[in-house]
Amino acid sequence: GAVVSQHPSRVICKSGTSVKIECRSLDFQATTMFWYRQFPKQSLMLMATSNEGSKATYEQGVEKDKFLINHASLTLSTLTVTSAHPEDSSFYICSARDTNGSSNQPQHFGDGTRLSIL
Amino acid sequence: GQSLEQPSEVTAVEGAIVQINCTYQTSGFYGLSWYQQHDGGAPTFLSYNALDGLEETGRFSSFLSRSDSYGYLLLQELQMKDSASYFCAVRALKAAGNKLTFGGGTRVLVKP
């Protein structure tokens, strides 16, 4: 089945550090990938839609200069949290759907990245 | 925009049946998905309904009524490992980016 790999799984770093998270579709191509953030005991909130070869589409209230997204190939999207602060500590999860699959193909999620900013 | 409502928590015993209801208000509806998430883990796909009716996958079934903007996930023969959060998610039309919007999640606690 479709596999989405996300790396790293956990990051602990000092305030002011920039952190890059990678999301890869391992056995399918994805022209679109999605980045979510989840705070403890809350739902997944869509941050942005990553579009291969073009600019990402950000949801309302998400700072595009704070959360930089690059989707340089059909199998890789990266999210960079720039100058991270403690309030950015959260569980970040990416998802992707097989572009070449049927319209009923589900979105598959990576294992998530737990970001802790000290 | 999209909004989804589902119960926050359900408790049941092993072997029981649990139904998690989900009502939604949305523009550009394409389908309703269900995901399971264990504490500390990522969501895993359970089921998807694009058309009205029941979809059965082993012990789990999902139902959709588009006219009522309503769906449910049915968990049968509950096992301890089914203790997790369950999210319904509306999938938007391709023109709206194929985005998934998640409900608040239902925490299911299975007791012996």
Side-chain angles (χ1 to χ4, degrees):
Chain A
V3 176
V4 174
S5 172
Q6 189 172 338
H7 178 81
S9 58
R10 185 171 183 95
V11 179
I12 302 173
C13 56
K14 294 180 180 179
S15 185
T17 305
S18 291
V19 177
K20 180 188 277 190
I21 303 170
E22 292 188 349
C23 180
R24 293 180 186 274
S25 56
L26 295 186
D27 53 358
F28 64 96
Q29 294 181 333
T31 55
T32 305
M33 293 185 178
F34 303 90
W35 288 96
Y36 296 83
R37 181 168 52 182
Q38 185 178 34
F39 292 106
K41 299 194 186 304
Q42 293 189 23
S43 186
L44 287 82
M45 299 302 297
L46 181 65
M47 299 174 65
T49 302
S50 174
N51 303 299
E52 187 266 336
S54 64
K55 291 182 180 179
T57 307
Y58 290 82
E59 295 300 302
Q60 195 170 10
V62 178
E63 301 175 56
K64 57 182 68 177
D65 294 332
K66 172 78 173 176
F67 299 99
L68 300 179
I69 290 172
N70 183 273
H71 194 149
S73 77
L74 287 170
T75 59
L76 173 64
S77 174
T78 61
L79 168 69
T80 301
V81 184
T82 61
S83 188
H85 292 284
E87 58 266 29
D88 298 322
S89 298
S90 187
F91 191 47
Y92 292 85
I93 318 170
C94 70
S95 74
R97 194 173 68 87
D98 187 346
T99 302
N100 299 317
S102 74
S103 59
N104 287 335
Q105 284 277 327
Q107 281 192 27
H108 293 279
F109 285 80
D111 287 336
T113 298
R114 194 160 302 279
L115 177 62
S116 300
I117 308 298
L118 305 177
Chain B
Q2 329 270 32
S3 70
L4 297 91
E5 287 194 18
Q6 53 181 125
S8 58
E9 194 169 300
V10 172
T11 301
V13 296
E14 272 187 299
I17 298 174
V18 161
Q19 178 172 317
I20 302 172
N21 297 321
C22 175
T23 56
Y24 58 87
Q25 290 184 321
T26 181
S27 55
F29 177 86
Y30 193 84
L32 188 70
S33 298
W34 289 92
Y35 286 83
Q36 178 192 61
Q37 185 181 32
H38 286 97
D39 285 346
T44 55
F45 172 76
L46 291 178
S47 188
Y48 175 68
N49 296 72
L51 303 174
D52 285 358
L54 190 68
E55 291 283 341
E56 296 180 79
T57 310
R59 294 187 297 115
F60 296 171
S61 304
S62 60
F63 172 83
L64 175 66
S65 169
R66 294 174 70 114
S67 59
D68 295 324
S69 297
Y70 162 77
Y72 66 72
L73 179 70
L74 193 70
L75 313 179
Q76 301 181 78
E77 300 172 26
L78 275 180
Q79 301 176 9
M80 297 296 290
K81 66 178 181 179
D82 298 330
S83 290
S85 291
Y86 293 83
F87 295 89
C88 58
V90 163
R91 180 179 161 190
L93 292 172
K94 187 175 182 180
N98 268 319
K99 297 189 292 189
L100 279 181
T101 301
F102 284 79
T106 299
R107 195 169 183 84
V108 173
L109 177 61
V110 181
K111 293 187 172 179

Short mmCIF file of all heavy atoms in Angstrom, two decimals, chain A residues 32 34 36 38 41-46 49 59 91 93 95 97 102-112 114, chain B residues 6 30 33 35 37 39-45 48 50 87-88 91 94 97-105 107:
data_model
loop_
_atom_site.label_atom_id
_atom_site.label_comp_id
_atom_site.label_asym_id
_atom_site.label_seq_id
_atom_site.Cartn_x
_atom_site.Cartn_y
_atom_site.Cartn_z
N THR A 32 0.36 16.91 -5.01
CA THR A 32 -0.13 17.71 -3.87
C THR A 32 0.14 16.96 -2.57
O THR A 32 -0.13 15.77 -2.49
CB THR A 32 -1.64 17.98 -3.99
OG1 THR A 32 -1.91 18.60 -5.25
CG2 THR A 32 -2.11 18.89 -2.88
N PHE A 34 -0.07 17.67 1.88
CA PHE A 34 -0.73 18.53 2.86
C PHE A 34 0.05 18.50 4.17
O PHE A 34 0.55 17.46 4.59
CB PHE A 34 -2.16 18.05 3.11
CG PHE A 34 -3.00 17.99 1.86
CD1 PHE A 34 -3.05 16.84 1.09
CD2 PHE A 34 -3.73 19.10 1.45
CE1 PHE A 34 -3.81 16.78 -0.06
CE2 PHE A 34 -4.50 19.05 0.29
CZ PHE A 34 -4.54 17.89 -0.47
N TYR A 36 -0.25 19.36 8.24
CA TYR A 36 -1.16 19.58 9.35
C TYR A 36 -0.37 19.83 10.63
O TYR A 36 0.78 19.42 10.77
CB TYR A 36 -2.06 18.35 9.58
CG TYR A 36 -3.00 18.02 8.46
CD1 TYR A 36 -2.57 17.27 7.37
CD2 TYR A 36 -4.33 18.43 8.50
CE1 TYR A 36 -3.44 16.96 6.33
CE2 TYR A 36 -5.21 18.11 7.47
CZ TYR A 36 -4.76 17.37 6.40
OH TYR A 36 -5.61 17.06 5.38
N GLN A 38 -1.08 19.49 14.94
CA GLN A 38 -2.01 18.96 15.94
C GLN A 38 -1.47 19.24 17.33
O GLN A 38 -0.38 18.76 17.69
CB GLN A 38 -2.22 17.46 15.75
CG GLN A 38 -3.26 16.86 16.67
CD GLN A 38 -3.47 15.37 16.42
OE1 GLN A 38 -2.52 14.66 16.07
NE2 GLN A 38 -4.69 14.89 16.58
N LYS A 41 -4.47 16.58 22.39
CA LYS A 41 -5.90 16.33 22.58
C LYS A 41 -6.78 17.20 21.67
O LYS A 41 -7.95 17.44 21.99
CB LYS A 41 -6.29 16.53 24.04
CG LYS A 41 -5.56 15.60 25.00
CD LYS A 41 -6.17 15.59 26.35
CE LYS A 41 -5.35 14.76 27.35
NZ LYS A 41 -5.14 13.38 26.89
N GLN A 42 -6.23 17.66 20.57
CA GLN A 42 -7.02 18.42 19.62
C GLN A 42 -7.02 17.74 18.27
O GLN A 42 -6.35 16.72 18.06
CB GLN A 42 -6.47 19.85 19.51
CG GLN A 42 -6.64 20.67 20.78
CD GLN A 42 -6.30 22.12 20.58
OE1 GLN A 42 -6.33 22.64 19.47
NE2 GLN A 42 -5.96 22.80 21.66
N SER A 43 -7.77 18.31 17.35
CA SER A 43 -7.87 17.73 16.02
C SER A 43 -6.71 18.16 15.14
O SER A 43 -5.88 18.99 15.55
CB SER A 43 -9.20 18.15 15.39
OG SER A 43 -9.39 17.49 14.16
N LEU A 44 -6.65 17.60 13.96
CA LEU A 44 -5.65 18.01 12.98
C LEU A 44 -6.13 19.26 12.27
O LEU A 44 -7.26 19.31 11.77
CB LEU A 44 -5.43 16.91 11.93
CG LEU A 44 -4.68 15.66 12.37
CD1 LEU A 44 -5.60 14.69 13.08
CD2 LEU A 44 -4.03 14.99 11.17
N MET A 45 -5.27 20.25 12.22
CA MET A 45 -5.60 21.50 11.55
C MET A 45 -4.72 21.64 10.31
O MET A 45 -3.50 21.61 10.42
CB MET A 45 -5.39 22.70 12.48
CG MET A 45 -6.26 22.66 13.72
SD MET A 45 -8.03 22.61 13.34
CE MET A 45 -8.23 24.17 12.51
N LEU A 46 -5.35 21.79 9.16
CA LEU A 46 -4.60 21.96 7.93
C LEU A 46 -3.89 23.30 7.95
O LEU A 46 -4.49 24.33 8.19
CB LEU A 46 -5.54 21.88 6.73
CG LEU A 46 -4.89 22.02 5.35
CD1 LEU A 46 -3.95 20.85 5.07
CD2 LEU A 46 -5.96 22.11 4.26
N THR A 49 -1.37 23.57 1.74
CA THR A 49 -1.33 22.58 0.67
C THR A 49 -0.06 22.83 -0.13
O THR A 49 0.16 23.95 -0.63
CB THR A 49 -2.56 22.71 -0.24
OG1 THR A 49 -3.74 22.54 0.56
CG2 THR A 49 -2.53 21.66 -1.33
N GLU A 59 -3.51 28.09 4.61
CA GLU A 59 -4.82 28.32 5.22
C GLU A 59 -4.81 29.65 5.97
O GLU A 59 -3.75 30.18 6.33
CB GLU A 59 -5.17 27.19 6.19
CG GLU A 59 -5.34 25.85 5.50
CD GLU A 59 -6.44 25.84 4.48
OE1 GLU A 59 -7.60 26.14 4.84
OE2 GLU A 59 -6.15 25.53 3.29
N PHE A 91 2.73 18.75 17.09
CA PHE A 91 2.89 17.53 16.28
C PHE A 91 2.57 17.93 14.85
O PHE A 91 1.44 18.36 14.56
CB PHE A 91 1.93 16.46 16.81
CG PHE A 91 2.15 15.08 16.26
CD1 PHE A 91 3.42 14.53 16.20
CD2 PHE A 91 1.08 14.30 15.84
CE1 PHE A 91 3.62 13.25 15.71
CE2 PHE A 91 1.27 13.01 15.36
CZ PHE A 91 2.55 12.49 15.29
N ILE A 93 2.23 16.88 10.90
CA ILE A 93 1.98 15.66 10.13
C ILE A 93 1.74 16.04 8.67
O ILE A 93 1.03 17.00 8.39
CB ILE A 93 0.73 14.91 10.62
CG1 ILE A 93 0.67 14.88 12.16
CG2 ILE A 93 0.69 13.48 10.09
CD1 ILE A 93 -0.64 14.37 12.70
N SER A 95 0.55 14.62 4.71
CA SER A 95 -0.21 13.57 4.05
C SER A 95 -0.11 13.77 2.55
O SER A 95 0.21 14.85 2.06
CB SER A 95 -1.68 13.59 4.48
OG SER A 95 -2.36 14.68 3.90
N ARG A 97 -1.72 12.01 -1.42
CA ARG A 97 -2.61 11.09 -2.13
C ARG A 97 -2.00 10.77 -3.48
O ARG A 97 -1.40 11.65 -4.11
CB ARG A 97 -3.98 11.74 -2.31
CG ARG A 97 -5.10 10.78 -2.72
CD ARG A 97 -6.45 11.52 -2.70
NE ARG A 97 -6.53 12.52 -3.75
CZ ARG A 97 -6.94 12.26 -4.99
NH1 ARG A 97 -7.29 11.04 -5.33
NH2 ARG A 97 -7.00 13.23 -5.88
N SER A 102 -7.03 6.23 -8.42
CA SER A 102 -8.44 6.55 -8.68
C SER A 102 -8.86 7.73 -7.81
O SER A 102 -8.18 8.07 -6.84
CB SER A 102 -9.32 5.34 -8.37
OG SER A 102 -9.43 5.17 -6.97
N SER A 103 -10.00 8.29 -8.15
CA SER A 103 -10.47 9.46 -7.41
C SER A 103 -10.85 9.11 -5.97
O SER A 103 -10.96 9.98 -5.13
CB SER A 103 -11.68 10.08 -8.12
OG SER A 103 -12.72 9.12 -8.23
N ASN A 104 -11.02 7.82 -5.70
CA ASN A 104 -11.37 7.41 -4.34
C ASN A 104 -10.17 7.06 -3.48
O ASN A 104 -10.32 6.59 -2.36
CB ASN A 104 -12.33 6.21 -4.37
CG ASN A 104 -13.73 6.61 -4.82
OD1 ASN A 104 -14.12 7.77 -4.66
ND2 ASN A 104 -14.45 5.68 -5.38
N GLN A 105 -8.98 7.26 -4.02
CA GLN A 105 -7.77 6.99 -3.25
C GLN A 105 -7.76 7.88 -2.00
O GLN A 105 -7.99 9.08 -2.08
CB GLN A 105 -6.54 7.30 -4.08
CG GLN A 105 -6.21 6.25 -5.11
CD GLN A 105 -5.44 5.09 -4.53
OE1 GLN A 105 -4.65 5.26 -3.63
NE2 GLN A 105 -5.68 3.91 -5.05
N PRO A 106 -7.47 7.28 -0.83
CA PRO A 106 -7.43 8.10 0.38
C PRO A 106 -6.12 8.86 0.52
O PRO A 106 -5.15 8.56 -0.17
CB PRO A 106 -7.55 7.06 1.49
CG PRO A 106 -6.85 5.86 0.91
CD PRO A 106 -7.18 5.87 -0.55
N GLN A 107 -6.13 9.83 1.42
CA GLN A 107 -4.89 10.47 1.81
C GLN A 107 -4.18 9.58 2.83
O GLN A 107 -4.82 9.05 3.73
CB GLN A 107 -5.15 11.84 2.44
CG GLN A 107 -5.44 12.93 1.44
CD GLN A 107 -5.42 14.30 2.08
OE1 GLN A 107 -4.74 14.53 3.09
NE2 GLN A 107 -6.16 15.23 1.50
N HIS A 108 -2.89 9.43 2.64
CA HIS A 108 -2.08 8.65 3.57
C HIS A 108 -1.17 9.59 4.34
O HIS A 108 -0.62 10.52 3.78
CB HIS A 108 -1.28 7.59 2.82
CG HIS A 108 -2.13 6.53 2.20
ND1 HIS A 108 -2.62 5.47 2.91
CD2 HIS A 108 -2.61 6.40 0.94
CE1 HIS A 108 -3.35 4.71 2.10
NE2 HIS A 108 -3.37 5.26 0.91
N PHE A 109 -1.02 9.30 5.62
CA PHE A 109 -0.28 10.19 6.49
C PHE A 109 1.10 9.64 6.83
O PHE A 109 1.30 8.43 6.95
CB PHE A 109 -1.06 10.41 7.79
CG PHE A 109 -2.24 11.33 7.62
CD1 PHE A 109 -3.43 10.87 7.09
CD2 PHE A 109 -2.14 12.68 7.97
CE1 PHE A 109 -4.52 11.72 6.91
CE2 PHE A 109 -3.22 13.53 7.80
CZ PHE A 109 -4.40 13.05 7.26
N GLY A 110 2.03 10.57 6.99
CA GLY A 110 3.33 10.21 7.54
C GLY A 110 3.18 9.96 9.04
O GLY A 110 2.10 10.16 9.61
N ASP A 111 4.26 9.52 9.67
CA ASP A 111 4.22 9.20 11.09
C ASP A 111 4.28 10.42 11.99
O ASP A 111 4.19 10.30 13.21
CB ASP A 111 5.37 8.25 11.45
CG ASP A 111 5.13 6.85 10.93
OD1 ASP A 111 3.96 6.50 10.71
OD2 ASP A 111 6.12 6.11 10.75
N GLY A 112 4.46 11.60 11.39
CA GLY A 112 4.45 12.82 12.17
C GLY A 112 5.80 13.18 12.75
O GLY A 112 6.69 12.33 12.90
N ARG A 114 7.28 15.29 16.05
CA ARG A 114 6.98 15.98 17.32
C ARG A 114 8.06 17.02 17.55
O ARG A 114 9.22 16.68 17.75
CB ARG A 114 6.91 14.98 18.47
CG ARG A 114 6.27 15.57 19.71
CD ARG A 114 5.76 14.50 20.66
NE ARG A 114 4.78 13.62 20.06
CZ ARG A 114 3.49 13.90 19.90
NH1 ARG A 114 3.03 15.07 20.28
NH2 ARG A 114 2.68 13.02 19.38
N GLN B 6 -18.78 15.71 15.97
CA GLN B 6 -18.80 14.33 16.41
C GLN B 6 -18.66 14.33 17.92
O GLN B 6 -18.14 15.29 18.49
CB GLN B 6 -17.70 13.51 15.73
CG GLN B 6 -16.29 14.08 15.84
CD GLN B 6 -15.26 13.22 15.12
OE1 GLN B 6 -14.52 13.71 14.28
NE2 GLN B 6 -15.18 11.95 15.48
N TYR B 30 -17.12 16.16 -1.35
CA TYR B 30 -16.76 15.08 -2.28
C TYR B 30 -16.93 13.72 -1.61
O TYR B 30 -17.38 12.76 -2.23
CB TYR B 30 -15.32 15.26 -2.77
CG TYR B 30 -14.96 14.39 -3.95
CD1 TYR B 30 -15.26 14.80 -5.24
CD2 TYR B 30 -14.33 13.17 -3.77
CE1 TYR B 30 -14.95 14.01 -6.33
CE2 TYR B 30 -14.01 12.37 -4.85
CZ TYR B 30 -14.32 12.79 -6.13
OH TYR B 30 -14.02 12.01 -7.20
N SER B 33 -14.36 10.67 5.03
CA SER B 33 -13.35 9.68 5.43
C SER B 33 -13.36 9.50 6.93
O SER B 33 -13.78 10.38 7.68
CB SER B 33 -11.96 10.15 4.99
OG SER B 33 -11.85 10.28 3.60
N TYR B 35 -10.63 8.21 10.09
CA TYR B 35 -9.26 7.89 10.46
C TYR B 35 -9.21 7.50 11.93
O TYR B 35 -9.97 8.02 12.75
CB TYR B 35 -8.34 9.09 10.21
CG TYR B 35 -8.03 9.34 8.75
CD1 TYR B 35 -8.90 10.05 7.95
CD2 TYR B 35 -6.86 8.85 8.18
CE1 TYR B 35 -8.64 10.27 6.60
CE2 TYR B 35 -6.57 9.07 6.83
CZ TYR B 35 -7.47 9.77 6.06
OH TYR B 35 -7.19 9.99 4.72
N GLN B 37 -6.56 7.23 15.24
CA GLN B 37 -5.27 7.73 15.73
C GLN B 37 -5.07 7.29 17.17
O GLN B 37 -5.83 7.66 18.05
CB GLN B 37 -5.21 9.26 15.63
CG GLN B 37 -3.84 9.83 16.01
CD GLN B 37 -3.78 11.34 15.92
OE1 GLN B 37 -4.77 12.02 16.14
NE2 GLN B 37 -2.62 11.88 15.58
N ASP B 39 -2.78 7.31 20.64
CA ASP B 39 -2.01 8.35 21.32
C ASP B 39 -0.55 8.34 20.86
O ASP B 39 0.11 7.30 20.89
CB ASP B 39 -2.05 8.15 22.84
CG ASP B 39 -3.39 8.56 23.43
OD1 ASP B 39 -4.16 9.22 22.72
OD2 ASP B 39 -3.66 8.20 24.59
N GLY B 40 -0.08 9.49 20.44
CA GLY B 40 1.32 9.62 20.02
C GLY B 40 1.58 9.18 18.60
O GLY B 40 2.71 9.31 18.11
N GLY B 41 0.54 8.64 17.93
CA GLY B 41 0.76 8.15 16.58
C GLY B 41 0.13 9.04 15.52
O GLY B 41 -0.48 10.07 15.84
N ALA B 42 0.29 8.64 14.28
CA ALA B 42 -0.29 9.37 13.16
C ALA B 42 -1.64 8.77 12.80
O ALA B 42 -1.93 7.63 13.15
CB ALA B 42 0.65 9.31 11.96
N PRO B 43 -2.48 9.53 12.13
CA PRO B 43 -3.77 8.98 11.70
C PRO B 43 -3.59 7.87 10.68
O PRO B 43 -2.73 7.96 9.80
CB PRO B 43 -4.48 10.18 11.06
CG PRO B 43 -3.73 11.38 11.52
CD PRO B 43 -2.33 10.93 11.74
N THR B 44 -4.40 6.83 10.80
CA THR B 44 -4.40 5.77 9.80
C THR B 44 -5.79 5.69 9.18
O THR B 44 -6.80 5.79 9.88
CB THR B 44 -4.01 4.41 10.40
OG1 THR B 44 -4.90 4.12 11.49
CG2 THR B 44 -2.60 4.41 10.90
N PHE B 45 -5.81 5.51 7.89
CA PHE B 45 -7.06 5.50 7.14
C PHE B 45 -7.88 4.27 7.48
O PHE B 45 -7.38 3.15 7.52
CB PHE B 45 -6.74 5.53 5.65
CG PHE B 45 -7.94 5.34 4.77
CD1 PHE B 45 -8.83 6.37 4.57
CD2 PHE B 45 -8.17 4.12 4.14
CE1 PHE B 45 -9.94 6.20 3.75
CE2 PHE B 45 -9.27 3.95 3.33
CZ PHE B 45 -10.15 4.98 3.13
N TYR B 48 -13.82 5.17 3.61
CA TYR B 48 -14.18 6.35 2.82
C TYR B 48 -15.53 6.09 2.14
O TYR B 48 -15.75 5.01 1.57
CB TYR B 48 -13.11 6.61 1.77
CG TYR B 48 -13.43 7.73 0.81
CD1 TYR B 48 -13.49 9.04 1.24
CD2 TYR B 48 -13.67 7.46 -0.54
CE1 TYR B 48 -13.78 10.07 0.36
CE2 TYR B 48 -13.96 8.50 -1.42
CZ TYR B 48 -14.01 9.79 -0.98
OH TYR B 48 -14.29 10.82 -1.85
N ALA B 50 -18.03 7.96 -0.64
CA ALA B 50 -18.35 9.05 -1.57
C ALA B 50 -19.83 9.02 -1.93
O ALA B 50 -20.42 10.06 -2.25
CB ALA B 50 -17.52 8.92 -2.84
N PHE B 87 -11.51 10.11 13.89
CA PHE B 87 -11.83 11.39 13.27
C PHE B 87 -12.62 11.16 11.99
O PHE B 87 -12.23 10.33 11.14
CB PHE B 87 -10.56 12.15 12.91
CG PHE B 87 -9.73 12.58 14.09
CD1 PHE B 87 -8.75 11.75 14.61
CD2 PHE B 87 -9.95 13.82 14.67
CE1 PHE B 87 -8.00 12.14 15.70
CE2 PHE B 87 -9.18 14.23 15.76
CZ PHE B 87 -8.21 13.38 16.27
N CYS B 88 -13.71 11.90 11.83
CA CYS B 88 -14.32 11.98 10.52
C CYS B 88 -13.69 13.18 9.81
O CYS B 88 -13.24 14.13 10.46
CB CYS B 88 -15.84 12.11 10.59
SG CYS B 88 -16.48 13.54 11.50
N ARG B 91 -13.82 15.44 2.63
CA ARG B 91 -12.91 15.68 1.51
C ARG B 91 -13.58 16.65 0.55
O ARG B 91 -14.72 16.43 0.14
CB ARG B 91 -12.58 14.38 0.81
CG ARG B 91 -11.63 14.57 -0.38
CD ARG B 91 -11.32 13.25 -1.04
NE ARG B 91 -10.81 13.44 -2.38
CZ ARG B 91 -10.63 12.46 -3.25
NH1 ARG B 91 -10.90 11.21 -2.91
NH2 ARG B 91 -10.15 12.72 -4.45
N LYS B 94 -12.05 18.52 -6.01
CA LYS B 94 -10.72 18.78 -6.57
C LYS B 94 -10.52 20.27 -6.79
O LYS B 94 -9.45 20.82 -6.55
CB LYS B 94 -10.56 18.02 -7.89
CG LYS B 94 -9.16 18.09 -8.46
CD LYS B 94 -9.03 17.23 -9.69
CE LYS B 94 -7.60 17.26 -10.22
NZ LYS B 94 -7.46 16.41 -11.42
N GLY B 97 -9.19 21.90 -3.98
CA GLY B 97 -7.88 21.45 -3.52
C GLY B 97 -7.84 20.05 -2.92
O GLY B 97 -6.83 19.64 -2.39
N ASN B 98 -8.95 19.30 -3.01
CA ASN B 98 -8.96 17.95 -2.47
C ASN B 98 -8.62 17.91 -0.99
O ASN B 98 -8.14 16.90 -0.48
CB ASN B 98 -7.95 17.05 -3.21
CG ASN B 98 -8.59 16.34 -4.38
OD1 ASN B 98 -9.71 15.87 -4.27
ND2 ASN B 98 -7.89 16.29 -5.49
N LYS B 99 -8.84 19.01 -0.30
CA LYS B 99 -8.43 19.10 1.10
C LYS B 99 -9.30 18.24 2.00
O LYS B 99 -10.46 17.99 1.73
CB LYS B 99 -8.51 20.55 1.58
CG LYS B 99 -7.58 21.49 0.83
CD LYS B 99 -7.54 22.86 1.47
CE LYS B 99 -8.85 23.59 1.32
NZ LYS B 99 -8.73 25.00 1.77
N LEU B 100 -8.70 17.79 3.10
CA LEU B 100 -9.44 17.12 4.15
C LEU B 100 -9.63 18.08 5.32
O LEU B 100 -8.68 18.70 5.76
CB LEU B 100 -8.68 15.90 4.66
CG LEU B 100 -8.73 14.59 3.89
CD1 LEU B 100 -7.91 13.54 4.62
CD2 LEU B 100 -10.17 14.12 3.73
N THR B 101 -10.85 18.19 5.79
CA THR B 101 -11.13 18.96 7.00
C THR B 101 -11.60 17.98 8.06
O THR B 101 -12.57 17.25 7.84
CB THR B 101 -12.21 20.03 6.74
OG1 THR B 101 -11.77 20.89 5.71
CG2 THR B 101 -12.45 20.84 8.01
N PHE B 102 -10.94 18.00 9.21
CA PHE B 102 -11.20 17.01 10.24
C PHE B 102 -12.20 17.51 11.28
O PHE B 102 -12.23 18.68 11.64
CB PHE B 102 -9.90 16.64 10.95
CG PHE B 102 -9.03 15.72 10.15
CD1 PHE B 102 -8.25 16.22 9.12
CD2 PHE B 102 -9.02 14.37 10.39
CE1 PHE B 102 -7.45 15.38 8.36
CE2 PHE B 102 -8.23 13.51 9.64
CZ PHE B 102 -7.45 14.02 8.62
N GLY B 103 -12.99 16.57 11.79
CA GLY B 103 -13.81 16.84 12.96
C GLY B 103 -12.93 16.87 14.20
O GLY B 103 -11.73 16.60 14.13
N GLY B 104 -13.55 17.16 15.34
CA GLY B 104 -12.78 17.29 16.57
C GLY B 104 -12.26 15.98 17.12
O GLY B 104 -11.41 15.99 18.02
N GLY B 105 -12.78 14.86 16.62
CA GLY B 105 -12.32 13.57 17.09
C GLY B 105 -13.17 13.01 18.21
O GLY B 105 -13.71 13.77 19.04
N ARG B 107 -12.91 10.23 21.22
CA ARG B 107 -12.00 9.36 21.95
C ARG B 107 -12.79 8.14 22.42
O ARG B 107 -13.77 8.28 23.17
CB ARG B 107 -11.43 10.11 23.14
CG ARG B 107 -10.23 9.45 23.77
CD ARG B 107 -9.55 10.38 24.76
NE ARG B 107 -8.36 9.79 25.32
CZ ARG B 107 -7.16 9.82 24.74
NH1 ARG B 107 -7.02 10.42 23.58
NH2 ARG B 107 -6.13 9.25 25.31
#
